[in-house]
């Protein structure tokens, strides 16, 4: 019985250490995503174009994206010209994905939509 108890304690300790390691690693990955966001972005709000902090974006803001610029948030395309987005850091896709303005069909997965 003592042997079984020691083995169980060892398994619980190893599981706890492994779980802590995974949590610490995922926390550092999530913290790294903050580096992907731009600090400022150009928006049209209430008919006026202004540069604001990306953290101050609200629904209804029209965000102007230029070639090579980091995208500050999940955005729905209103107008674009041959836009491609590189989501490799999020999805692992090796090539930039083409985006479009037309809305997706009802019931489609929000994160896989080509107009976002």
């Amino acid at each position: 019985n003592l042997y079984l108890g020691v083995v169980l304690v060892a398994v619980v300790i190893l599981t706890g250490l492994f779980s802590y390691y995974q949590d610490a690693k995922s926390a550092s990955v999530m913290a790294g995503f903050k580096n992907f966001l731009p600090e400022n972005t150009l928006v049209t709000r209430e008919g006026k174009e202004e540069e604001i902090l990306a953290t101050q974006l609200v629904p209804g803001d029209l965000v102007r994206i230029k070639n090579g610029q980091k995208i500050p948030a999940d955005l729905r395309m209103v107008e674009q010209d041959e836009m491609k987005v590189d989501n490799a850091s999020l999805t692992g896709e090796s090539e930039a994905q083409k985006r479009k303005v037309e809305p997706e069909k009802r019931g489609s997965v929000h994160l896989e939509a080509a107009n976002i």
Side-chain angles (χ1 to χ4, degrees):
N1 286 341
L2 180 61
Y3 174 74
L4 183 60
V6 169
V7 169
L8 287 174
V9 167
V11 167
V12 168
I13 290 173
L14 286 174
T15 303
L17 290 173
F18 184 70
S19 185
Y20 173 77
Y21 171 74
Q22 283 185 321
D23 285 347
K25 191 173 178 181
S26 65
S28 68
V29 167
M30 293 306 287
F33 281 129
K34 290 181 181 178
N35 296 333
F36 290 123
L37 295 178
E39 287 188 25
N40 297 321
T41 189
L42 190 62
V43 302
T44 302
R45 184 183 281 175
E46 298 177 5
K48 292 182 258 178
E49 197 168 273
E50 57 186 291
E51 189 168 318
I52 63 169
L53 291 173
T55 56
Q56 295 175 338
L57 282 173
V58 296
D61 283 344
L62 293 175
V63 180
R64 184 174 301 267
I65 304 294
K66 296 178 184 172
N67 189 22
Q69 182 180 355
K70 293 178 182 177
I71 298 176
D74 287 342
L75 305 172
R76 185 168 309 276
M77 297 291 153
V78 176
E79 182 180 325
Q80 59 92 12
D81 183 31
E82 294 296 314
M83 182 175 183
K84 289 185 178 182
V85 177
D86 181 9
N87 287 334
S89 59
L90 299 173
T91 62
E93 296 168 340
S94 60
E95 295 181 14
Q97 303 298 306
K98 215 172 196 181
R99 295 295 175 218
K100 62 182 184 177
V101 176
E102 296 81 27
E104 293 291 320
K105 296 177 185 174
R106 282 199 179 272
S108 63
V109 179
H110 171 72
L111 295 175
E112 294 178 5
N115 66 338
I116 294 184

